[in-house]
């Protein structure tokens, strides 16, 4: 397998402009002769489908939700970065690029990141024109807040619901195209396979979640914008239905899967309260603007937080990282919390959290200001925990939140399967080993609005005059039959345990051995336990109900099945990457102070895994990363 | 109305644009929002009538001469610009149209609302904001409407079993309402009207889009006050007659 | 932490055209720290262990923002806690020995798919008819070119907070969708960017809404049920804009 990133020539600042000029174009009158399938209607997928529809392509959009407004992009709280420099504090495209490459611990492709920073400013313009109600100053201009890993204020926000507002903006644009008939939306339709004919993506096979019917759809190109795979850990901040199936099915059809071990653990989630918990709830990183993180100095502390005197508190982030303090990047803040909790200094009934304290901020700014900034987050916290953060410090603990890894894509966002694209969290492209806060929304929208609609024509133009492969082609028939058989198979096992029971067990293995801190022994243990559990899943799964009507247990079974295979590659990737970088922390590779220790000599590359038919033995390919602009250095936030 | 089955398949056949053919008021009346406008506007007209009707009738407490003089004044309105009773008939015509529209709009909206939930909730609903008045609008409306017909027969057209003299306003009223069942009927009907007004006089602000933080808090008070005023004023008459405070002629 | 022993009466229905009925399911040993949906997860897990079909219900983010979850709980849309979607409702709001009745949303426009899951596609049809600002990708002017007074931006945001869950329709005695529609209309009609299509938008959206839903009689029940506490003030705004639209659109047309 050849990994050709197709990075355009020229200086870093000219690459995207050069590319846009040199790529092949499709004449507006010819665009309706092309069919494009977009799977997923979150920020990336919805934006791509809407923009391609506007440009004149025939778009078929697919979502497994009931509506195009439900994707998990909606849950992003804090904001979206853009190098607008509206605050005049020295921000620039180059600085956003620099911060993102550095924040990603030098494991991202420079050219992609620069393009992302360039497009960031257009996103804000676009979203504002669509009516996204970003927060404003009294003068009527846009407001900004600060986020982790940056020393400038560049985060645009809409209360604590930025993701919701941006997704609704996308949804509105997509709805307009649906209303005009340029996009056909298939809702409650889950991708169950990708079809490749003559080495090109030919279409997809979907299962109707209402009727259980399996059908095929073909097109000239297929875009996957199907999100990340955090739910491999069972407990994560992702929505319940988030899954890897689309990306994994693409992987099985030849798309390389890059850097699966890069998972982001978000530092501020509400700690788990009991064993029945179905998911973790994130508290926005923006809270770290005004909240101070601390834990008691003594593991034997039993006093309630307000009675612990300053002298007995350890504001460990401010102590260890004085210049960034509570706004240290996510990977660093998470690991610091883990160190304290592992040392027995955790707080709360299960001693599994640290405090995020707003009392100083309330004293300084007044309760009203804090309420205006974070009111809805505080309410959410109180609904879940029954404690008011105005009176008692919040309790937080890291949780799996985002996956930087994903389908390998070149500069054009094309996977290793020609005609198959991946956008948004589903691809691996822009965040390296760690994503900075407020950058996920930026990447999803950049890919969907600005990158993909520009790059896809380069692939489509030469296909003028060809028709999509008909869905009665043998490959489609084979894929449909296989999918039908797969779902019938789950129903036929007749074992004793539900898909959730297996998922929970898989998640525990992943969190214990492939979570915030990884070791060789742990990963090897996971690699022996996961296949055994997967085998048990195949023999002992119980799915009740039928395959001909809505059956959420059956849907879950298919998703968990794919998580089992992915989990093995995640562990393999973590095991092979003998260094610590960003979200990937190998206990064997740390400095004396406990910071991540990269090995640039051996691992300054992207690892892309090729499916071989055996999930335990995929082939590892590498794409070397070259840093011509941001020089490799030890990441320091001290 | 939507069908009861879930339609599967792609959405994107194209949304139809609203066609505009009829004149603006008819076009407006075709929509439910427009019907609500009409209900609100006719509601205001009827409220005005109810208020003036009450004020006029309270002259009963000033005695037969004052009362009959007022009745005659109505017949003489705008004389000599227009002939006798013409203005009154014009007003009556307006009222009849308002009633007809109010009732027709209510009827078609009710049908629309029934069709919007063909299968009711199978368990007990626990309402929070919807109150007795808002949920019984159609019943209080129907009760009062039926009463009104009877009221017209009773005092304007034929009389209802007492010595009715066309045009002898005071005599007719005081004689008819002196009967206990009739008095009770008037009281019940006016209570129904009060309940109807309690919601209607608030609701019209919303329907007409009269919503402003400066007076929003007063809308509910206005409705309650108006309803109370009408009920007290109108009920005072049968009570006074039955109690002998107002003499029967 | 307390343990609750509950009796659930859950609506079970095979499909849109079948007849459903309540199924009484005992739910002993419920931890009161659980969310309502985690309680249902546990009930489902037990049903699967008994070899029975799990109860189908819509849910996804469980953070109260995606709007996928629904449920009529004890006669109230999203249950007893004000301003809270079902997924954020916790079992500490219930007491030991309670009987909890769970029904799907009921409206002609929301046909039942299975058990507690309904089809809310009618909402999408309303948005498709006009719930957007035409601003095709590319060519947008600088975001700071139009200053928007903070109170206006805040009011638009209040309206834009709608999560499209359908509780307003479910709670409304008339199955009206005026709160949902007016929230989208107000969000876009309040902003300067939305002025060009202001009247066409409200007219198209209201007309589409009326194809599916009942009419508003100002009960105010929707506002109480709304997990985002969106105000019925927006309905008044929509009513005003609709009248203006019927009038103005016609005038614009007549000049052609």
């Amino acid at each position: 397998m050849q990994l050709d990133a197709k990075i355009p020539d020229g200086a870093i600042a000219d690459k995207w402009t050069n590319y846009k000029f040199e790529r092949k174009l499709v004449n507006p009158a010819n665009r309706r002769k092309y069919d494009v399938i977009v799977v997923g209607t979150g920020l990336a997928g919805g934006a791509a489908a809407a923009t391609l529809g506007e440009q004149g392509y025939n778009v078929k959009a697919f979502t497994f939700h009931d509506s195009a407004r439900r994707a998990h992009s909606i849950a992003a709280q804090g904001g979206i970065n853009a190098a607008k420099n509206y605050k005049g504090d020295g921000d620039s495209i180059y600085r956003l690029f620099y911060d993102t490459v550095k924040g990603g611990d030098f494991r991202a492709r420079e050219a992609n990141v620069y393009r992302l920073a360039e497009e960031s400013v257009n996103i804000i313009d676009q979203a504002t024109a669509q009516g996204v109600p970003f927060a404003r100053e009294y003068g009527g201009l846009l407001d900004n807040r600060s986020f982790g890993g940056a020393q400038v204020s560049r985060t645009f926000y809409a209360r604590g619901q930025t993701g919701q507002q941006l997704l609704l903006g996308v949804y509105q644009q997509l709805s307009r195209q649906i209303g005009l008939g340029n996009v056909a939306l298939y809702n409650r339709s889950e991708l169950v396979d990708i079809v490749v004919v003559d080495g090109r993506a030919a279409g997809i096979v979907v299962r109707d979640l209402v009727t259980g019917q399996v059908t095929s759809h073909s097109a000239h190109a297929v875009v996957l914008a199907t999100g990340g795979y955090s739910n491999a850990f069972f407990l994560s901040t992702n929505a319940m239905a988030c899954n890897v199936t689309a990306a994994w099915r693409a992987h099985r059809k030849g798309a390389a899967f890059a850097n699966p071990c890069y998972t982001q653990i978000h530092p501020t989630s509400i700690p788990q309260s009991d064993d029945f918990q179905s998911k973790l709830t994130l508290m926005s990183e923006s809270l770290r603007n005004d909240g101070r993180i601390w834990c008691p100095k003594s593991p034997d502390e039993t006093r309630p937080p307000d009675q612990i005197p300053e002298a007995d508190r350890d504001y460990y982030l401010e102590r260890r990282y004085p210049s960034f303090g509570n706004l240290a990047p996510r990977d660093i803040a998470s690991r610091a919390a883990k160190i304290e909790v592992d040392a027995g200094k955790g707080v709360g009934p299960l001693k599994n959290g640290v405090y995020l304290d707003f009392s100083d901020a309330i004293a300084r700014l007044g309760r009203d200001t804090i309420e205006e900034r974070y009111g809805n987050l505080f309410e959410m916290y109180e609904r879940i925990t029954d404690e008011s953060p105005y009176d008692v410090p919040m309790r937080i603990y890291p949780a799996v939140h985002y996956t930087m890894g994903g389908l390998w894509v070149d500069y054009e966002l094309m996977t290793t399967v020609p005609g198959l694209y991946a956008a948004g969290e589903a691809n691996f492209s822009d965040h390296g080993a760690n994503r900075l806060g407020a950058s996920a929304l930026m990447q999803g929208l950049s890919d969907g609005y600005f990158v993909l609609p520009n790059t896809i024509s380069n692939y489509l133009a030469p296909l003028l005059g060809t028709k999509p492969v008909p869905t009665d082609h043998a490959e489609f028939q084979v894929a449909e039959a296989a999918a039908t058989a797969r779902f019938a198979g789950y129903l036929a096992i007749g074992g004793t345990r539900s898909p959730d029971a297996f998922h929970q067990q898989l998640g525990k293995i992943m969190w214990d051995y492939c979570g915030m801190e990884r070791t060789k022994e742990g990963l090897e243990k996971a690699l022996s336990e996961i296949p055994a559990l997967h085998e048990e899943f195949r023999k002992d799964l119980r799915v009740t109900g039928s395959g001909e009507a809505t059956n959420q247990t059956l849907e879950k079974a298919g998703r968990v099945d794919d998580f089992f295979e992915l989990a093995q590659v995640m562990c393999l990737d973590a095991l092979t990457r003998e260094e610590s970088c960003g979200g990937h922390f190998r206990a064997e590779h740390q400095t004396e102070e406990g910071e991540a220790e990269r090995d640039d000599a051996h691992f300054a590359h992207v690892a892309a895994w090729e499916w071989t038919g055996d999930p335990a033995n995929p082939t590892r390919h590498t794409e070397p990363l070259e840093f011509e602009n941001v020089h490799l250095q030890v990441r320091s936030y001290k | 109305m939507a069908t009861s089955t879930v339609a599967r398949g792609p959405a994107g056949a194209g949304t139809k644009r609203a066609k505009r053919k009829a004149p603006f008021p008819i076009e407006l009346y075709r929509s439910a929002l427009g019907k609500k406008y009409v209900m609100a506007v006719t509601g205001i007209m009827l409220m005005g009538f109810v208020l003036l009707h009450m004020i006029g009738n309270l002259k009963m407490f000033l005695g037969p001469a004052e009362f009959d003089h007022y009745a005659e004044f109505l017949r003489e309105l705008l004389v000599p610009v227009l002939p006798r009773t013409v203005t009154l008939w014009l007003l009556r015509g307006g009222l009849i149209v308002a009633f007809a529209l109010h009732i027709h709009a209510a009827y078609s909206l009710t049908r629309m609302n029934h069709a919007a939930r063909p299968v009711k909730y199978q368990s007990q609903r626990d309402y929070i904001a919807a109150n007795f008045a808002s949920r019984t609008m159609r019943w209080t409306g129907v009760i009062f409407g039926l009463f009104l017909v009877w009221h017209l027969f009773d005092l304007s057209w034929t009389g209802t079993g007492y010595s009715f003299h066309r045009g002898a306003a005071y005599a007719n009223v005081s004689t008819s309402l002196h009967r206990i069942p009739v008095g009770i009927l008037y009281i019940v009907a006016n209570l129904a009207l009060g309940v109807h007004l309690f919601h209607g006089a608030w609701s019209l602000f919303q329907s007409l889009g009269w919503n402003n933080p400066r007076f929003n808090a007063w809308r509910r008070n206005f409705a309650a006050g108006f309803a109370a005023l009408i009920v007290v004023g109108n009920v005072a008459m049968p009570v006074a007659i039955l109690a002998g405070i107002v003499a029967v002629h | 932490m307390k343990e609750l022993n509950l009796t659930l009466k859950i609506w079970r229905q095979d499909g849109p055209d079948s007849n459903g009925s309540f199924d009484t399911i005992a739910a002993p040993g419920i931890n009161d720290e659980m969310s309502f949906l985690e309680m249902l997860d546990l009930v489902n897990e037990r049903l699967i262990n008994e070899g029975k079909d799990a109860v189908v219900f819509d849910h996804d983010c469980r953070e109260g923002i995606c709007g996928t979850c629904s449920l009529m709980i004890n006669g109230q849309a999203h249950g007893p806690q004000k301003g809270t979607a079902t997924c954020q409702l916790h079992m500490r709001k219930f007491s030991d020995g309670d009987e909890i009745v769970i029904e799907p949303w009921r409206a002609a426009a929301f046909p039942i798919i299975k058990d507690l899951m309904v089809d809310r596609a009618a909402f999408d049809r309303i948005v498709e008819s006009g719930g957007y600002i035409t601003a095709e990708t590319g060519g947008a002017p600088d975001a700071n070119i139009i200053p928007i007074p903070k109170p206006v931006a805040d009011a638009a945001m209040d309206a834009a907070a709608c999560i499209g869950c359908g509780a307003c329709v479910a709670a409304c005695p008339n199955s009206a969708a005026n709160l949902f529609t007016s929230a989208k209309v107000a969000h876009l009609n309040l902003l300067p960017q939305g002025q060009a299509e202001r009247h066409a938008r409200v007219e198209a959206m209201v007309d589409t809404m009326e194809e599916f839903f009942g009419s508003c009689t100002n009960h105010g029940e929707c506002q109480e049920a709304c997990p985002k506490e969106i105000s019925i003030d927006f309905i008044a705004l929509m009513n005003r804009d609709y009248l203006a639209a019927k009038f103005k659109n016609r005038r614009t047309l007549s000049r052609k």
Side-chain angles (χ1 to χ4, degrees), chain A residues 36-51:
Chain A
V36 180
I37 284 173
V38 180
V39 186
T41 53
L43 287 186
T51 306

Side-chain angles (χ1 to χ4, degrees), chain A residues 100-120:
Chain A
T100 307
V101 171
K102 180 185 168 201
D105 221 356
F106 303 94
R107 289 295 176 264
R109 208 186 271 152
E110 274 193 344
N112 285 51
V113 178
Y114 196 89
R115 175 176 67 190
L116 175 66
E118 267 181 291
E119 295 294 5
S120 70

Side-chain angles (χ1 to χ4, degrees), chain A residues 204-343:
Chain A
I204 60 172
V205 178
V206 296
R207 185 170 172 273
D208 185 320
L209 299 183
V210 174
T211 62
Q213 235 168 9
V214 172
T215 50
S216 296
H217 299 268
S218 68
H220 291 92
V222 176
V223 178
L224 298 184
T226 50
Y229 49 88
S230 299
N231 272 350
F233 292 87
F234 184 72
L235 276 183
S236 82
T237 67
N238 278 16
M240 301 302 288
C242 291
N243 66 79
V244 76
T245 292
W248 194 253
R249 293 284 138 188
H251 175 62
R252 290 174 62 121
K253 288 295 173 79
F257 208 102
N259 300 335
C261 78
Y262 290 166
T263 50
Q264 180 166 73
I265 317 283
H266 194 291
T268 52
S269 147
I270 302 175
Q272 195 178 347
S273 65
D274 60 57
D275 296 337
F276 306 102
Q277 197 144 340
S278 56
K279 74 156 288 187
L280 297 168
T281 302
L282 184 81
M283 288 284 107
S284 167
E285 176 162 329
S286 61
L287 292 168
R288 289 199 277 145
N289 266 309
D290 289 307
R292 296 179 71 196
I293 294 177
W294 61 277
C295 65
K297 277 189 178 155
S298 158
D300 305 320
E301 187 60 71
T302 51
R303 288 170 286 183
D306 55 334
Q307 287 169 28
I308 302 177
E310 284 291 314
D312 293 340
R313 300 177 176 194
D314 181 9
Y315 294 90
Y316 58 86
L317 280 179
E318 296 171 20
R319 171 170 59 80
R320 289 171 59 180
Y321 308 100
S323 71
F324 279 70
N326 292 303
L327 283 175
R330 292 177 173 179
D331 52 339
I332 289 175
S334 293
R335 214 161 42 245
K338 178 176 161 61
I339 291 169
E340 302 301 329
V341 170
D342 286 352

